[in-house]
Amino acid sequence: MAELTTIHWICLLLTILVVIVAGILYAGKQTGAAGFSLAGRKSGPLMIAGAFAGSALGGAATVGTATTAAYDGLVAWYFTLGMGIGMVLMGIFYARKLRESELETVPQFLGLNFGRVAAPVASIITCCGIFFACSGSVLPGSHLICSLMGVPPAAGAGILVLLMVAYITFGGQKGSSFSGVLKVAVLFTALLAATFIALYNYHDGSSVWNGMSSMFAEKGVFNKGGMYGFSYIAATVVGTITAQMYIQGLYSASDARTASRGAYLGALFTIPVGLMACFIGMYMGEHHPEMLESPAKASLVMPMFLLDASLVPSWVGGIALGGLALCIISSAAVQALAVSTMFSRDIVGDLFGVKSDRAIMMANRLGMVAVALLVAGFCLWQWQGSSLWLNYLSMALRGGGVVFPLTLAIFLSRSSLSRHFTTSWVLASMVIATLGALAVLPVPQDSSLVQWLADSSGITPKDIHDMLPVVVGMLFSGIVLLIGVLCTALRGKREVK
């Protein structure tokens, strides 16, 4: 296995240090809860895009995408492509109404439209979902630190948690947004150079275009079929538009138009990075098939490419590795901030009636540290677990039960919602959808249900198994809401008579 040289170390550490310190200095002193979690609602499009990218471009979007591409080719691009499409949809349909609500969390918005009791229920469900997403970022990040530094698991997880806390606790939303912009600039530039190297050397070393053409021809975007692509992108879109991390970025905008523009720019940041990761992963799959012998080796295909001094100059590899480390740190940190914001606002503030701005800000910061420590402990317990499974569990929890109520609240007026949807039916849809998603998690991949769905759709049993919780959650949520509409309509007719 390639090792970090002195030049790698210097460039890696300087990249991390400069970006984190710049974010803290840019944020300045945070004077209130809204200043800490929403940057004082003064963010411009670039800062919003930085917040989006800070969450989206984590370990799964970079290291995980490259690993999947080494096996399956360009279908690995669906993850960042789905997130980018979700951001565009947020900019078109969701940004204006969310920003004009002057709120701070998704549960607050649901509570405003469906009754106060909906907020804490949605908060608990969403917090659990984001907790597992954060764990899905910290787990591969800890593995990477342990592999590159030769430290035991507890030390790897501990180092990552310290960096997460420094990244958010001293800068809040404003600092993380600015750091997100710097991270994207560093990562995009370094990965672009690495991508040209991978494409040029893919086959005969004749040209970048020939390398790209060969990749698209051998394992193109549709090599698993159109149904697979649609299903995977749809599931990722659902997970994106219901994520507190991105909606918090919209709430931080100076106005609704700025929120929309920031979402579009975030998509522009996110989509190309996933494609570049695919090209690097496909190069490694072609030239170093021995790395695909085990999941542990496969998870290092991108770092090993960047460490190959015969291909990538050491200073470029070091900066790119620093960018990757920042991806993992910032994504996990922004997710932890989303959980702590919902905890401080929806639980401490709304449920327990705490009104002091200082107390809510303190609860937010302490909650951020607590979440980081809990995630580290969970990852050590699940050290041999799958980060991909954790991400699907996160999507099932935060997407399946929340996406329909949130979308209805966006597109319908409050008077229409009150006529057609009662609080009890909305609560039932969220709870039943979440329980349904959890109920199918233990279903084995070789079960008759999974095999039947795979035969009917043309999607592999593994991919059906991964997407099943999200699909079941959305199906149950839609059915319960439809029954609720019918029952409310029938009751209205009886009252008229």
Side-chain angles (χ1 to χ4, degrees):
M1 176 175 151
E3 295 182 356
L4 287 164
T5 65
T6 302
I7 296 176
H8 283 130
W9 271 116
I10 292 172
C11 294
L12 186 157
L13 294 175
L14 278 177
T15 301
I16 295 174
L17 184 65
V18 167
V19 171
I20 291 180
V21 171
I24 294 172
L25 293 177
Y26 178 80
K29 184 179 180 181
Q30 305 299 316
T31 56
F36 179 71
S37 60
L38 296 179
R41 300 190 196 272
K42 297 178 181 178
S43 295
L46 191 61
M47 293 300 103
I48 296 166
F52 273 60
S55 178
L57 296 178
T62 52
V63 177
T65 295
T67 300
T68 304
Y71 287 107
D72 299 326
L74 287 168
V75 295
W77 191 28
Y78 290 151
F79 184 66
T80 52
L81 186 60
M83 286 194 292
I85 293 171
M87 292 174 192
V88 171
L89 293 175
M90 291 178 77
I92 296 173
F93 299 112
Y94 292 74
R96 182 186 62 82
K97 197 164 184 178
L98 285 167
R99 178 58 188 87
E100 290 177 352
S101 70
E102 294 286 336
L103 298 174
E104 195 166 343
T105 68
V106 177
Q108 281 181 330
F109 187 75
L110 294 176
L112 177 69
N113 289 278
F114 297 111
R116 287 188 60 187
V117 71
V121 174
S123 183
I124 293 169
I125 293 171
T126 308
C127 282
C128 290
I130 299 176
F131 176 86
F132 290 116
C134 186
S135 300
S137 296
V138 170
L139 186 60
S142 301
H143 284 169
L144 182 60
I145 290 174
C146 293
S147 298
L148 296 180
M149 299 180 65
V151 296
I159 291 170
L160 188 52
V161 164
L162 287 175
L163 291 171
M164 283 170 57
V165 171
Y167 188 88
I168 286 291
T169 302
F170 301 107
Q173 180 72 19
K174 185 178 180 180
S176 69
S177 298
F178 182 71
S179 298
V181 173
L182 294 181
K183 178 192 80 170
V184 170
V186 169
L187 184 68
F188 197 98
T189 304
L191 282 189
L192 187 62
T195 297
F196 275 107
I197 293 170
L199 292 172
Y200 183 81
N201 292 280
Y202 184 64
H203 272 331
D204 53 9
S206 58
S207 71
V208 170
W209 176 255
N210 285 344
M212 186 184 301
S213 300
S214 297
M215 289 185 182
F216 272 93
E218 293 168 10
K219 290 184 178 181
V221 177
F222 299 108
N223 75 75
K224 284 195 172 187
M227 181 59 72
Y228 171 86
F230 174 79
S231 302
Y232 200 102
I233 289 174
T236 309
V237 167
V238 168
T240 300
I241 62 178
T242 56
Q244 169 68 21
M245 300 86 73
Y246 307 122
I247 291 176
Q248 195 160 330
L250 298 178
Y251 281 139
S252 72
S254 57
D255 54 56
R257 184 182 178 189
T258 300
S260 294
R261 292 165 61 194
Y264 303 146
L265 193 56
L268 192 63
F269 285 172
T270 301
I271 293 173
V273 170
L275 184 59
M276 290 189 284
C278 286
F279 290 144
I280 292 172
M282 290 183 71
Y283 171 88
M284 293 297 285
E286 175 73 15
H287 291 269
H288 296 280
E290 72 279 359
M291 292 206 68
L292 307 183
E293 294 172 356
S294 70
K297 287 184 179 180
S299 66
L300 297 174
V301 293
M302 179 178 275
M304 289 303 102
F305 176 85
L306 298 173
L307 286 173
D308 189 346
S310 65
L311 289 173
V312 183
S314 297
W315 65 273
V316 174
I319 293 173
L321 285 170
L324 286 180
L326 285 167
C327 280
I328 295 167
I329 295 165
S330 64
S331 179
V334 170
Q335 288 163 348
L337 175 63
V339 175
S340 65
T341 299
M342 285 187 286
F343 169 76
S344 61
R345 284 296 183 186
D346 303 326
I347 306 300
V348 175
D350 294 342
L351 193 60
F352 291 104
V354 176
K355 301 301 180 185
S356 168
D357 194 64
R358 184 176 180 180
I360 290 176
M361 183 176 176
M362 180 61 67
N364 202 337
R365 280 184 159 151
L366 292 176
M368 161 70 198
V369 176
V371 170
L373 292 174
L374 287 171
V375 165
F378 179 81
C379 289
L380 290 175
W381 177 50
Q382 292 288 319
W383 189 251
Q384 300 301 326
S386 167
S387 61
L388 183 61
W389 182 83
L390 291 173
N391 277 292
Y392 277 115
L393 177 59
S394 171
M395 286 185 191
L397 288 174
R398 74 174 190 255
V402 175
V403 64
F404 286 138
L406 176 64
T407 302
L408 288 170
I410 291 292
F411 286 99
L412 298 179
S413 65
R414 291 174 65 182
S415 59
S416 296
L417 291 172
S418 62
R419 285 199 307 269
H420 300 294
F421 299 95
T422 63
T423 300
S424 57
W425 281 109
V426 173
L427 287 175
S429 75
M430 289 192 289
V431 173
I432 292 174
T434 302
L435 294 176
L438 292 174
V440 298
L441 284 174
V443 174
Q445 186 174 311
D446 58 355
S447 67
S448 57
L449 173 63
V450 172
Q451 293 296 327
W452 177 76
L453 290 171
D455 293 339
S456 303
S457 63
I459 303 175
T460 65
K462 178 184 179 301
D463 296 321
I464 287 288
H465 178 264
D466 289 341
M467 290 185 285
L468 194 58
V470 183
V471 175
V472 168
M474 292 181 63
L475 183 63
F476 280 21
S477 176
I479 291 172
V480 172
L481 287 172
L482 182 59
I483 294 172
V485 170
L486 295 174
C487 290
T488 303
L490 290 173
R491 187 180 65 183
K493 288 183 179 180
R494 292 194 193 100
E495 290 175 354
V496 170
K497 290 179 181 179

